[in-house]
Amino acid sequence: MKHLLKLMDLSEQEINEILNLADQLKYEKKNGIKHHILEGKTLGLIFSKASTRTRVSFEVGMYDLGGSALFLSARDLQIGRGEPVEDTARVLSRYLDGIMIRTFAQSEVEDLAKYGSIPIINGLTDYCHPCQVLADLMTIREHKGVIKGNKLCYIGDGNNMTNSLIVGGIKMGMTVSVACPKGYEPDAELMKWASETGRFTCTDNVFEAAKNADVLYTDVWASMGQEAEAEERKRIFKGYQINSDVMAVAHDDAMVLHCLPAHREEEITAEVFESHANEIFDEAENRLHAQKAVLVKCLA
Ligand code: CP
Ligand code: NVA
């Protein structure tokens, strides 16, 4: 695997290989087994947006594998002052062994890969969040035993998370339903692709989407970069929430996931959040293990 730019680039087999390696690395970490797989390698972490999980899990992940990580805030890089991505990519390729980037435009991530000569890992764009969904799939498999055949229901904004969940869920054999207000649907091309499998639906009716779900998923109503729309979105998304009424129509053993950070009483009630905290924080932990697997696949 050269890069991780988006999940659409990976086959079901490649995703399975990442998840299997992630399980192994998790087991080994819990049992104190140390690695030197990435000894001497340095990963640059470029952030144009805030982060807790992505930053810490990539830094710790590189350390665990014997390599090192360099935190690079876009605010302090010349890229933040307009230096072209083409030049940044070629310069950083001379110093680093790989780059993880969190930014706004997906094209910036694709351009880094195009003009640079080192592996590029997408740590979230406005379009997608592949690292998160690899951790989500790992968590689903851990709790349910299998991924295939489960119904994944996403409630809320059709955003970067939704786009990656559709691709990851469909590729891994799940049925995916999305409930979002009209005008806030996920990417049209991805919905068309997913619909062709006969395992995808999108509706503005939360209860229709959540019926018989095995996994319920939600994310913030206003993503990073949409702060100015936050108040308007609170009105538009009211009701697009995982709460006890929604849980009542899902399967009794349905699990609840949230990529975090969460806004209690907006997209999820505190009650549902706390009663599924074990799943949600396993999911957060699995960012570390799934990304270590991605790092091994791309950098080793
Ligand atoms: N879920 C996620 O990517 O979290 P951070 O924004 O804290 O990295
Ligand atoms: N949709 C959210 C995800 C955060 C992990 C955002 O882009 O802010």
Side-chain angles (χ1 to χ4, degrees), residues 19 81 104 106 166 242 244 299:
L19 301 185
R81 293 180 57 245
F104 295 87
Q106 177 70 15
I166 291 171
I242 302 185
S244 52
L299 266 63

Side-chain angles (χ1 to χ4, degrees), residues 72-172:
L72 303 164
S73 164
R75 249 196 321 230
D76 305 323
L77 293 173
Q78 296 289 9
I79 202 169
R81 293 180 57 245
E83 184 170 14
V85 178
E86 301 93 287
D87 296 355
T88 306
R90 285 178 287 183
V91 170
L92 294 181
S93 293
R94 305 283 180 116
Y95 305 137
L96 300 166
D97 300 290
I99 295 174
M100 187 248 54
I101 177 166
R102 165 169 290 194
T103 190
F104 295 87
Q106 177 70 15
S107 60
E108 195 177 332
V109 178
E110 309 263 350
D111 282 349
L112 268 186
K114 181 170 163 198
Y115 295 105
S117 54
I118 54 175
I120 305 299
I121 298 168
N122 184 340
L124 179 146
T125 61
D126 292 344
Y127 176 68
C128 64
H129 197 0
C131 291
Q132 178 67 53
V133 170
L134 289 172
D136 299 341
L137 293 168
M138 178 182 176
T139 313
I140 292 168
R141 194 166 80 166
E142 228 171 42
H143 283 257
K144 294 271 176 206
V146 288
I147 298 174
K148 207 184 182 113
N150 281 302
K151 176 177 173 179
L152 168 67
C153 167
Y154 175 93
I155 295 171
D157 185 24
N159 60 16
N160 43 11
M161 278 312 313
T162 330
N163 288 339
S164 285
L165 284 166
I166 291 171
V167 178
I170 293 289
K171 283 202 178 216
M172 298 306 286

Side-chain angles (χ1 to χ4, degrees), residues 145-273:
V146 288
I147 298 174
K148 207 184 182 113
N150 281 302
K151 176 177 173 179
L152 168 67
C153 167
Y154 175 93
I155 295 171
D157 185 24
N159 60 16
N160 43 11
M161 278 312 313
T162 330
N163 288 339
S164 285
L165 284 166
I166 291 171
V167 178
I170 293 289
K171 283 202 178 216
M172 298 306 286
M174 298 176 94
T175 296
V176 179
S177 62
V178 172
C180 57
K182 286 205 170 67
Y184 292 85
E185 290 88 0
D187 181 80
E189 240 176 80
L190 289 182
M191 287 205 292
K192 186 170 174 281
W193 168 83
S195 297
E196 281 163 9
T197 66
R199 288 184 278 116
F200 175 77
T201 53
C202 183
T203 166
D204 61 359
N205 186 317
V206 171
F207 293 95
E208 194 184 304
K211 193 163 192 276
N212 296 331
D214 300 293
V215 184
L216 288 154
Y217 202 114
T218 190
D219 182 20
V220 291
W221 290 340
S223 286
M224 290 182 277
Q226 297 173 331
E227 288 77 8
E229 298 170 32
E231 284 311 309
E232 187 195 352
R233 281 172 170 267
K234 272 185 199 169
R235 282 193 303 277
I236 294 167
F237 285 89
K238 203 171 158 31
Y240 288 85
Q241 182 190 63
I242 302 185
N243 53 37
S244 52
D245 294 340
V246 171
M247 294 305 296
V249 302
H251 277 146
D252 288 343
D253 62 350
M255 60 191 290
V256 175
L257 296 177
H258 192 307
C259 57
L260 304 175
H263 291 75
R264 288 165 175 78
E265 307 310 328
E266 290 185 20
E267 74 274 5
I268 189 165
T269 58
E271 183 207 350
V272 172
F273 184 94

